[in-house]
Amino acid sequence: MRLNYVSRACMYQRLCTRFRTSNTRFINTYSTQFQIETICKTIRYSGPMSVAQYMRTVLTNSNTGYYIHKDMLGAEGDFVTSPELNQIFGELVGIWFVNEWKAMGCPSDIEFVELGPGKGTLANDVVRLFQHFRQKVFGQSKLSFRFVEVSETLSKLQYDVLCGKKLECEMPQDCYQAGYSKIGHFPMYWYRDLESVPNDKFTFFLAHEFFDALPIYKFVRGKNGWREIYVDVKSSSENELQFVLLPEVTMASKLIKSNETRNHVEICPMAGSIVSNIAKRIENNNGGALIIDYGHLGEKEDTLRGFKDHQLNDIFDNIGEADITADVDFQFICDSVKDSSVETTGPIIQQEFLKNMGIEVRLMMLLRNCKDKGQAQTLIDSYKIIMDEKQMGERFKVLALTGKRESSEEPVTGFYDS
Ligand code: SAH
């Protein structure tokens, strides 16, 4: 039972291009001030930067990046996610992997890779579920967990939540932290990027609210074709930023599909390269992936927005202290794996997926075990937030990637009403 706060998917901000009305606000923290000055200086020396470069600098630069130094999740943070709200979410995700593992012939060595584990809550719920089924279902099978996490601050939090003691053996190459899980004593390893994670075993991948954090490029269609939106310093002020439209075509605009019908497009090449890497790994060693995020099927235009303290925040304000995010383009994700043999199923809306996975039955079970009315009410309230169409139920989508299954007749778990 978790907290009652607002998710990032529930609020929208129209992109402020250079046509927007002025929004001068004074920056009051040293680190934010320092960062805006550094970004403005960089731009004055080397010219305007792409929105992707701006996002990379603000979110993941190795000193002051938002994800690097901050715990942004929960009541005290900037936004809350489904697994932080309700334990059933992680349990049902765990059940999805158990079912798909069975459908793929119960291989004996299993790797579980989570991208962007946040506070480690989702992984912990999955671990608890796997431990519950360990004897009866997994038997002698070996299970290890690997996490892709760019933030040292968050990786320490994840370690505290998930692990008991330090791993006694040497750390594998490229791994920066390792331990055994408190529940079930599963080995756990942390990496900065997916490329560093070993690629030789049957693997399940999980990415929940990960792809929305990756840098996007932005383009608008003009009289002379596609032009890219960049970030520049305002001419009227030394330390204020604005969006500008580049007069010339950029290399990045090659990423836009020739039959694109929208007039404003956001493209995340990093999402494409990560998902095709995942597909290659599934092709080589078999396995599957669940990608859950707020997003669309290639129809939305301008979704870039910022968050701070559960409120929308202009992406040029509170640099390093506020989140910047964009909706995930699931069509682009599916297109990025279409040359592989990996099957994509979905995306379907989160509400449908959780319903198909049996959320109502699990809710009833948990309600029966609640100690008091308050606990039961928190459980019901958080269930509503993750299922309600107006909250997280519809905006969030679920996409599955699957490798070789024993029977091609058997539907992928959770995507069909049973
Ligand atoms: N999955 C969690 C947290 C989502 S927040 C949940 O649903 O609660 C996004 C997570 O991705 C954070 O852990 C953040 O540090 C991580 N992250 C963001 N950009 C990353 C990158 N480029 N590489 C690896 N991890 C990244």
Side-chain angles (χ1 to χ4, degrees):
M1 274 156 265
R2 315 268 162 72
L3 304 159
N4 238 335
Y5 276 85
V6 174
S7 109
R8 289 178 295 175
C10 300
M11 295 189 267
Y12 276 81
Q13 174 194 43
R14 302 312 304 159
L15 170 75
C16 315
T17 64
R18 67 180 154 161
F19 316 109
R20 74 188 166 152
T21 52
S22 164
N23 66 330
T24 314
R25 254 210 264 154
F26 290 101
I27 294 132
N28 52 16
T29 69
Y30 172 76
S31 96
T32 297
Q33 182 66 36
F34 178 74
Q35 284 189 74
I36 193 143
E37 280 170 11
T38 311
I39 290 171
C40 290
K41 232 180 257 169
T42 310
I43 291 176
R44 272 194 292 274
Y45 281 125
S46 42
M49 56 173 74
S50 65
V51 173
Q53 191 187 341
Y54 177 70
M55 283 180 81
R56 249 189 319 271
T57 310
V58 169
L59 295 179
T60 55
N61 88 71
S62 55
N63 297 318
T64 48
Y66 172 72
Y67 281 114
I68 305 301
H69 74 92
K70 206 175 156 169
D71 168 16
M72 68 290 300
L73 288 147
E76 304 292 310
D78 299 315
F79 58 90
V80 75
T81 61
S82 296
E84 293 295 329
L85 284 163
N86 194 313
Q87 70 186 74
I88 305 179
F89 185 88
E91 292 169 353
L92 297 181
V93 163
I95 289 174
W96 188 88
F97 287 112
V98 173
N99 278 0
E100 285 303 300
W101 171 75
K102 284 188 187 162
M104 291 175 191
C106 306
S108 57
D109 232 343
I110 312 156
E111 295 279 323
F112 186 93
V113 175
E114 188 184 356
L115 299 132
K119 285 192 175 199
T121 311
L122 175 54
N124 211 34
D125 290 337
V126 172
V127 166
R128 199 161 18 82
L129 192 279
F130 283 179
Q131 177 61 9
H132 180 77
F133 284 116
R134 200 166 191 173
Q135 294 304 326
K136 263 196 257 152
V137 178
F138 289 122
Q140 294 305 305
S141 300
K142 269 171 50 193
L143 255 159
S144 331
F145 287 77
R146 303 195 191 255
F147 302 107
V148 175
E149 177 54 75
V150 73
S151 161
E152 239 174 75
T153 308
L154 286 178
S155 73
K156 287 195 184 106
L157 259 177
Q158 292 153 18
Y159 196 93
D160 286 346
V161 169
L162 291 161
C163 291
K165 55 181 174 165
K166 295 265 172 210
L167 202 66
E168 287 110 23
C169 64
E170 252 181 64
M171 285 213 276
Q173 205 188 350
D174 298 328
C175 157
Y176 67 88
Q177 179 173 273
Y180 285 112
S181 62
K182 285 182 206 164
I183 304 169
H185 206 65
F186 296 110
M188 303 192 140
Y189 309 93
W190 275 259
Y191 302 82
R192 281 181 220 291
D193 48 48
L194 181 60
E195 284 76 23
S196 308
V197 176
N199 174 16
D200 52 5
K201 288 191 185 123
F202 179 92
T203 308
F204 278 131
F205 298 87
L206 173 62
H208 180 258
E209 289 215 37
F210 169 75
F211 285 105
D212 68 80
L214 303 182
I216 55 150
Y217 291 82
K218 280 178 91 65
F219 307 90
V220 286
R221 198 198 293 271
K223 272 196 279 233
N224 301 316
W226 289 103
R227 291 293 180 269
E228 190 171 345
I229 297 174
Y230 261 49
V231 175
D232 200 357
V233 182
K234 274 188 181 173
S235 50
S236 56
S237 161
E238 236 185 64
N239 286 320
E240 271 191 88
L241 295 166
Q242 66 176 356
F243 290 112
V244 292
L245 211 51
L246 288 196
E248 304 300 330
V249 179
T250 55
M251 283 295 282
S253 60
K254 289 206 161 58
L255 294 163
I256 303 168
K257 287 194 281 194
S258 54
N259 59 351
E260 181 58 66
T261 54
R262 289 169 290 174
N263 291 321
H264 188 140
V265 176
E266 296 172 338
I267 298 184
C268 182
M270 196 172 168
S273 91
I274 290 176
V275 85
S276 58
N277 187 328
I278 290 175
K280 271 204 193 83
R281 286 165 183 253
I282 295 176
E283 251 179 357
N284 291 342
N285 311 306
N286 209 14
L290 262 191
I291 298 170
I292 310 174
D293 225 309
Y294 40 87
H296 57 93
L297 266 172
E299 76 282 4
K300 282 205 180 157
E301 300 200 331
D302 169 17
T303 71
L304 185 71
R305 58 205 187 274
F307 283 95
K308 181 164 167 48
D309 303 328
H310 301 265
Q311 303 291 328
L312 282 168
N313 178 75
D314 189 301
I315 72 155
F316 297 139
D317 284 347
N318 300 302
I319 294 177
E321 293 298 326
D323 187 27
I324 303 179
T325 177
D327 279 21
V328 172
D329 182 343
F330 279 97
Q331 189 57 55
F332 179 73
I333 300 258
C334 292
D335 289 348
S336 307
V337 301
K338 70 172 186 289
D339 292 335
S340 76
S341 61
V342 165
E343 286 283 328
T344 59
T345 309
I348 60 171
I349 61 171
Q350 170 163 303
Q351 180 197 63
E352 196 183 343
F353 177 77
L354 294 177
K355 211 169 178 187
N356 293 342
M357 290 299 302
I359 191 166
E360 264 114 32
V361 177
R362 182 65 184 141
L363 177 70
M364 291 306 158
M365 278 167 73
L366 286 178
L367 284 175
R368 271 201 295 275
N369 293 333
C370 279
K371 288 192 198 86
D372 53 57
K373 272 194 183 150
Q375 216 181 34
Q377 197 54 50
T378 311
L379 197 57
I380 291 167
D381 290 347
S382 57
Y383 159 85
K384 283 185 184 153
I385 297 173
I386 65 175
M387 290 293 280
D388 192 305
E389 288 104 352
K390 292 200 185 76
Q391 301 197 54
M392 294 162 113
E394 202 171 276
R395 289 238 169 92
F396 279 80
K397 312 279 188 299
V398 184
L399 175 74
L401 307 185
T402 46
K404 282 184 233 69
R405 312 172 90 243
E406 295 248 285
S407 155
S408 53
E409 308 282 286
E410 202 183 316
V412 175
T413 314
F415 285 80
Y416 305 91
D417 195 3
S418 52

